[in-house]
């Protein structure tokens, strides 16, 4: 497999302040689903802004699909990576749903006929086809986030970053967005989710835990999910079944079938 | 005393005089002290409209409410003699985003802004600020800092301290824990529980997190399309029928304990409502 | 906060909806120019009639246009009063003495106070205001005794009346035309039309695409910002800010308590929005393709020709007659 993103020794600081990210190294494979976990202020979102060149690393290099990210290549790299931000209201550019999906396509100078085709196709994909003429004030937060996803899908990027995209939504909206993440990953899109919700980490392949700008651990999601020490160091919480499992282990409660059951139920939250 | 709603409705006046009914026919009674209530409902179900009535920011277009002895209905607006400000002192409302209220140069000034508006002396207000900054889990060193250089969680705490310093009987919080990491969320929930326990205040929390409802609340309110469909015990709320009808998520503890009961053919003597209780229970059951 | 009338598109059908936004914009400019050129009352009457015809054919409710005019009522009254009081050119039409005495002035004060306290209960505020003015003048005119310490005259000159009338009618026509434009044109189309109409400015190095983008984003975010301002007001009201009352010092504080959060939130919002736009490959000044196309129809040519004819005829009338 070919890596789609390679981050080498990247550090970042907002002018003269303390480093927000310190010596981050991470390689992400094509088609992988990676979750970046961390406490508030751990540098998760900074990392995502570095990846699409909204911020410039102090040291280190970032390669996307073999191309080094720099001032000249940043526009090409943004064609490969899309990002859904946290606040649904602050990324809805168009006056209507249709216009918003079109925004990125207009920037890429896609011909009008193809634009119309893609808008129809991808608005259907996120179940927003009936809403194409609606204005953002008429939509819920979850619906706005779905429009954001359609806008990125229409641009046909290889990678989609979900930067705390579900944190301002109600359970229904959150669930729906999670479903799309799974579906897109199954279809081959590389997914990077940034979150502190453990339930979002369950379906991903690997998990990165950040603490105060440093990578605490990178491992498969099954290993990280039960790593109480690492998670708690970054203000995170074990999923309930795994917390119980941990409790049984540390109190020498032995009941193999219950343990198996807990492990299984942690995977389908 | 306390808060009492009698058939309260509120209609937003839209363009074209076409109204939009935000809440309809709400009957509700909340004590002035000692309650811990969670209010849940999907986006747009009327939760915010409902709580904005509780401190008379919005006045009913139909029905009436009694807020701490003051009767308010649709005619109240026209009567300039009725002062609504005393109600806002009794019922403190913390909005979802602390950015809506923070504006002063220092945290101290921001916290004493509310009390001073209600006629509290500067000295007394400063005394309260020093107390409340501790109550929300920060320390006095924060008082001299600018509210804009704080982290999201700290801002939230300062905005809550600003309302607490008004010494309200009822404290309402609109989605206070959204966007916080798990430990930050738990710590803040403990703060609310503490305020409820030690200061004996009624606390009302709007939330999307069913775990909060299940683990903390004494009473749960459910709004759905502007109607109050449930007002009662959080334990009974999560019946299969309600979960299906109202599209609720099952709280983690309830889901797991139910699943374990079926799988291992056991029964918990009392349904566990906290992680700790679940662990203790499981030990008992496995013996 | 959801009932702002000006600049609000109302879906509907009719020839005004079918017109190209460019046509409507140019016609608006042309007709506005024409109203400033004509200077005979009869021509003005014809212009008003024409507006009426447009409203009827375009099936636009007069009530909507009135809602658009309402915020300007104060301006209309003010210019009218200003002209009547200070313009002394032309023939004298009407003159009457005014007597100032403690009694008459006292009565006027009482009348004004009564008006101030009761106006909120009266439905036709403008009429009520005019009645108050006339009653005051009547008092000053009638009670001649005793203790008169000064006399004055209230006079109306022909030019003043004419000027006042003209200014009022012009304002009404301009606002009505603009309201018709915004009611019948989607914001997106309006913006597209504007960009297209402004294109000639490119010669003098004005970036018309950027202007269009700024306007489009402003259109998108005005409702959001209004909503936010409302929430901030409610949040501060929850902390005991009583926006109805307060001394000057408190008023200043109240305004600060609104403005600071408003600024901070808006800056944060624009920062995040800029990020979101850049992330979606927006490069300022770069060429973009467009989803929306404007299509020119015969109707557009007809409307444009008619508007231009009206402008040319008003110029000719002014110059040659």
């Amino acid at each position: 497999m070919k890596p789609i993103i390679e981050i080498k020794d990247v550090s970042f600081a907002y002018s003269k302040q303390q480093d927000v990210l310190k010596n981050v190294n991470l390689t992400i494979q094509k088609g992988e689903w990676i979750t970046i976990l961390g406490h508030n202020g751990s540098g998760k979102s900074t990392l995502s802004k570095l990846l699409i060149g909204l911020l410039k690393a102090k040291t280190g290099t970032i390669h996307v699909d073999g191309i080094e990210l720099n001032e000249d290549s940043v526009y090409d790299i943004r064609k490969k990576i899309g990002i859904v931000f946290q606040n649904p209201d602050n990324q809805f550019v168009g006056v209507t749903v249709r216009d918003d999906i079109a925004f990125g396509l207009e920037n890429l100078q896609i011909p009008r006929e193809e634009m119309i085709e893609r808008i129809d196709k991808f608005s259907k994909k996120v179940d927003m086809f009936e809403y194409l003429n609606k204005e953002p004030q008429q939509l819920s937060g979850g619906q706005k986030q779905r429009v954001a996803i359609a806008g990125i899908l229409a641009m046909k990027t290889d990678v989609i970053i979900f930067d705390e995209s579900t944190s301002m939504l109600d359970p229904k909206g959150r669930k729906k967005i999670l479903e799309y993440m799974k579906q897109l990953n199954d279809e081959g899109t590389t997914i990077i989710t940034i979150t502190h919700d453990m339930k979002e980490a369950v379906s991903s392949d690997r998990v990165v835990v950040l603490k105060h700008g440093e990578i605490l651990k990178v491992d498969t999601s099954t290993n990280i999910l039960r790593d109480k020490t690492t998670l708690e160091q970054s203000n995170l919480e074990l999923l309930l079944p795994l917390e119980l499992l941990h409790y049984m282990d540390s109190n020498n409660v032995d009941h193999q079938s219950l343990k198996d059951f807990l492990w299984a139920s942690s995977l389908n939250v | 005393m306390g808060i009492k709603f009698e058939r309260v409705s509120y209609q937003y006046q839209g363009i074209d005089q076409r109204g939009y009914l935000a809440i309809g026919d709400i009957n509700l009674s909340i004590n002035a002290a000692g309650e811990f209530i969670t209010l849940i409902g999907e986006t747009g179900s009327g939760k915010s409209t409902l709580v904005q009535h509780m401190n008379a920011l919005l006045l009913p277009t139909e029905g009436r409410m009694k807020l701490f002895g003051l009767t308010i209905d649709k005619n109240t607006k026209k009567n300039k003699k009725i002062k609504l400000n005393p109600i806002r002192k009794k019922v403190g409302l913390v909005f979802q985003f602390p950015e809506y209220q923070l504006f002063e140069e220092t945290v101290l000034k921001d916290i004493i802004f509310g009390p001073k508006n209600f006629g509290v002396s500067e000295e007394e207000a400063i005394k309260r600020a020093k107390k409340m900054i501790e109550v929300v889990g920060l320390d006095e060193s924060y008082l001299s800092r600018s509210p804009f250089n704080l982290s999201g969680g700290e801002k939230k705490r300062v905005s809550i301290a600003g309302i607490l310093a008004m010494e309200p009987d009822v404290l309402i919080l609109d989605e206070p824990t959204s966007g916080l990491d798990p430990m930050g969320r738990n710590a803040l929930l403990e703060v609310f529980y503490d305020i409820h326990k030690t200061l004996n205040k009624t606390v009302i929390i709007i939330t999307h997190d069913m775990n909060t409802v299940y683990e903390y609340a004494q009473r749960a309110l459910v709004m759905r399309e502007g109607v109050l469909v449930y007002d009662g015990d959080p334990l009974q709320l999560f019946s299969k029928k309600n979960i299906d009808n109202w599209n609720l998520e099952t709280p983690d503890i309830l889901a797991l304990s139910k699943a374990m009961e079926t799988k291992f053919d056991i029964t918990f003597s009392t349904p566990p409502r906290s992680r700790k209780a679940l662990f203790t229970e499981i030990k008992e059951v496995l013996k | 906060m959801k009932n702002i009338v000006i600049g609000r598109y109302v879906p509907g059908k009719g020839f005004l909806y079918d017109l190209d936004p460019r046509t409507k914009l140019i016609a608006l400019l042309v007709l506005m120019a024409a109203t400033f050129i004509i200077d005979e009352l009869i021509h003005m009457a014809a212009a008003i009639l024409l507006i009426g015809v447009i409203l009827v054919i375009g099936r636009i409710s007069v009530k909507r246009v009135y809602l658009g005019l309402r915020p300007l009522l104060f301006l209309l009254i003010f210019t009218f009063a200003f002209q009547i009081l200070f313009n002394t050119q032309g023939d004298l039409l009407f003159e009457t003495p005014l007597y100032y005495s403690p009694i008459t002035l006292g009565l006027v004060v009482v009348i004004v106070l009564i008006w101030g306290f009761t106006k909120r209960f009266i439905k036709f505020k403008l009429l009520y205001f005019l009645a108050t003015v006339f009653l005051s003048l009547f008092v000053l005119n009638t009670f001649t005794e005793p203790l008169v310490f000064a006399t004055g005259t209230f006079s109306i000159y022909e030019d003043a009346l004419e000027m006042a009338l003209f200014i009022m009618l012009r304002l009404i026509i301009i606002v009505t035309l603009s309201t018709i434009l915004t009611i019948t044109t989607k914001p997106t189309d309006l913006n597209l039309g504007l960009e297209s109409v402004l294109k000639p400015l490119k010669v003098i190095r004005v970036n018309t695409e950027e202007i269009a983008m700024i306007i489009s984003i402003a259109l998108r975010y005005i409702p959001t910002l209004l909503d936010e301002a409302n929430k901030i007001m409610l949040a501060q009201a929850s902390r005991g800010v009583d926006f109805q009352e307060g001394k000057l010092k408190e008023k200043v504080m109240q305004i600060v308590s609104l403005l600071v959060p408003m600024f901070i939130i808006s800056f944060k919002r624009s920062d995040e929005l800029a990020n979101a736009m850049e992330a979606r490959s927006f490069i300022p000044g770069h060429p973009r393709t467009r989803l929306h196309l404007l299509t020119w129809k015969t109707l557009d040519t007809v409307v444009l020709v008619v508007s231009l004819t009206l402008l040319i005829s008003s110029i000719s009338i002014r110059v040659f007659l």
Side-chain angles (χ1 to χ4, degrees), chain C residues 20-244:
Chain C
D20 189 292
R22 286 170 293 188
T23 315
K24 282 189 263 190
L25 275 166
I26 296 170
L28 174 72
L29 281 176
V30 166
L31 292 178
M32 260 162 59
T35 49
F36 276 99
I37 286 163
I38 48 179
D39 61 349
E40 298 269 342
L41 219 48
I42 180 90
H43 299 146
M44 202 54 115
I48 296 271
L49 194 70
L50 180 71
I51 303 273
V53 171
I54 295 176
L55 286 177
V56 171
I57 301 180
R59 280 183 278 174
I60 309 264
S61 91
V62 179
K63 194 179 156 205
R64 256 193 190 291
V65 177
Y66 167 70
L67 286 176
L69 274 169
R70 207 164 50 176
L72 287 165
L73 277 183
F74 174 76
L75 191 67
L76 289 175
I77 294 170
F78 181 78
T79 47
F80 200 88
F82 189 83
Q83 287 294 333
I84 298 282
L85 290 178
F86 299 109
N87 191 335
T88 53
Q89 276 161 5
D91 296 334
L92 186 64
L93 286 181
F94 173 78
E95 190 172 42
T96 181
L98 299 177
Y99 306 100
Y100 301 113
S101 71
I103 293 174
T104 54
L105 287 179
L107 271 172
V108 167
V109 169
V110 170
I111 291 170
V112 170
L113 283 179
I114 291 175
W115 169 76
F117 280 112
T118 54
K119 66 176 177 195
R120 74 180 78 116
F121 305 112
I122 305 291
K123 205 169 172 203
F124 299 100
K125 289 199 170 54
L126 184 59
L127 281 179
Y128 192 50
F129 174 74
L130 290 175
T132 310
V133 171
F134 280 119
L135 193 62
S136 302
L137 286 172
F138 178 74
V139 165
L140 289 173
N141 182 233
T142 324
F143 295 92
T144 50
E145 286 299 322
L147 299 171
V148 173
F149 58 82
T151 51
T153 46
F154 175 70
S155 39
I156 299 176
Y157 291 87
E158 193 186 341
D159 279 16
L161 203 59
E162 208 179 290
M163 280 294 278
L165 210 59
F166 263 96
I167 292 175
M168 260 179 74
L169 291 177
R170 279 189 185 130
L171 266 175
I172 290 174
I173 291 176
I174 290 166
V175 173
T176 308
L177 285 174
S178 328
T179 311
I180 292 176
L181 175 75
T182 51
I183 284 177
T184 61
T185 319
K186 278 188 207 147
T188 9
D189 290 342
L190 192 60
N191 195 31
L192 232 77
L194 199 65
E195 190 189 340
S196 180
V197 169
L198 289 177
K199 225 162 222 164
L201 290 180
K202 269 202 162 159
V203 182
I204 53 165
R205 290 179 161 256
V206 177
N207 191 337
T208 51
E209 273 149 24
E210 218 157 288
I211 293 173
M213 180 58 80
I214 290 166
I215 295 172
S216 140
I217 289 192
L219 285 173
R220 151 75 184 90
Y221 278 96
I222 283 170
T224 315
L225 289 176
L226 286 175
D227 192 48
E228 201 128 65
N230 188 34
K231 278 192 189 141
I232 293 169
M233 239 167 102
L234 292 176
Q236 300 300 21
S238 297
R239 295 210 286 169
V241 176
D242 191 340
F243 291 99
Q244 320 279 320

Side-chain angles (χ1 to χ4, degrees), chain A residues 52 54 75 78 83 85 89-92 94 98-100 102-103 106-107 109-110 112 115 136-137 155, chain C residues 188 213 220-221 223 269 272-273 275-283 287-293:
Chain A
I52 49 168
L54 288 173
Y75 301 119
R78 284 184 192 152
I83 179 163
F85 292 96
D89 263 318
N90 294 355
Q91 54 185 319
F92 203 108
R98 177 181 279 111
D99 290 7
D100 190 65
F103 177 75
E106 293 177 329
N107 294 336
Q109 299 181 55
I110 307 288
R112 185 166 178 269
M115 243 194 269
Q137 299 90 270
M155 292 170 77
Chain C
T188 9
M213 180 58 80
R220 151 75 184 90
Y221 278 96
R269 197 183 275 288
E272 289 186 7
L273 182 67
N275 274 343
M277 288 171 69
E278 274 195 64
R280 279 160 77 185
S281 290
F282 178 72
I283 311 167
R288 309 169 71 224
T289 47
R290 284 310 173 82
L291 174 67
H292 296 281
L293 283 184

Side-chain angles (χ1 to χ4, degrees), chain B residues 15-17 52 55 57 83 85 88 95 99-104 110 113-114 117-118 148 163 166, chain C residues 2 8 63-64 228 231-232 234-242 245 253 256-257 260-261 264-265:
Chain B
I15 198 165
D16 269 350
Q17 266 73 50
Q52 284 171 15
N55 73 343
L57 282 178
K83 292 279 169 243
N85 242 1
R88 299 188 185 143
F95 277 68
E99 287 83 0
Y100 286 163
Q101 71 174 67
L102 301 179
F103 77 100
E104 287 275 18
D110 215 287
F113 178 70
N117 282 330
F118 291 114
F148 304 112
I163 301 294
M166 291 158 29
Chain C
K2 280 169 183 137
R8 197 75 197 157
K63 194 179 156 205
R64 256 193 190 291
E228 201 128 65
K231 278 192 189 141
I232 293 169
L234 292 176
Q236 300 300 21
S238 297
R239 295 210 286 169
V241 176
D242 191 340
E245 289 177 22
M253 203 59 172
V256 172
S257 77
V260 173
I264 288 181
I265 293 173

